[in-house]
Amino acid sequence: MRTLCTLLLLVLIASGAWAQGNVNVGRYEAVHVVPAPGPVTIDGDLADWDTSGEFYTYRYEEQKDRYYYRGYMMYNAQHLYIAARVGDSTPMMNNQSPETDATT
């Protein structure tokens, strides 16, 4: 349980840190964890999920359709379920050139 709580905290911190520079984007007073509407199948398909407690963040307003994070949490008597939809137009690729985009 401690590991799960730590993971949840990291997800929330990351979503807020990613949105720095945007007023109120990714900053929540509360995150809603909703009861599972029935049996949950772990298959990557969120069709059986109650997504009404969605939390959403993005880094830049002009890129929010390409780079975003939508998180969902549900629970039942045995489990806490965590799912996310992550938008990234170039997954697993570095969009920065070390020669031209280097930062110190």
Side-chain angles (χ1 to χ4, degrees):
M1 186 61 150
R2 179 177 281 174
T3 303
L4 184 57
C5 290
T6 302
L7 175 64
L8 177 59
L9 181 60
L10 290 174
V11 167
L12 295 176
I13 290 170
S15 67
W18 189 21
Q20 285 183 356
N22 292 298
V23 177
N24 295 326
V25 175
R27 300 184 188 276
Y28 293 90
E29 295 291 322
V31 176
H32 301 282
V33 183
V34 298
V40 178
T41 304
I42 309 299
D43 58 2
D45 181 7
L46 302 183
D48 57 343
W49 279 60
D50 177 351
T51 58
S52 64
E54 173 185 276
F55 52 99
Y56 170 65
T57 189
Y58 53 87
R59 186 167 181 191
Y60 299 114
E61 179 76 29
E62 63 274 4
Q63 296 178 344
K64 69 181 182 181
D65 295 334
R66 293 187 338 210
Y67 300 104
Y68 59 86
Y69 175 88
R70 295 180 183 276
Y72 313 94
M73 292 188 284
M74 296 189 315
Y75 69 92
N76 61 22
Q78 293 82 30
H79 303 287
L80 171 65
Y81 301 96
I82 301 172
R85 290 187 173 121
V86 179
D88 186 347
S89 59
T90 55
M92 303 299 291
M93 295 182 71
N94 186 351
N95 289 332
Q96 295 182 326
S97 166
E99 288 108 23
T100 60
D101 296 328
T103 59
T104 57

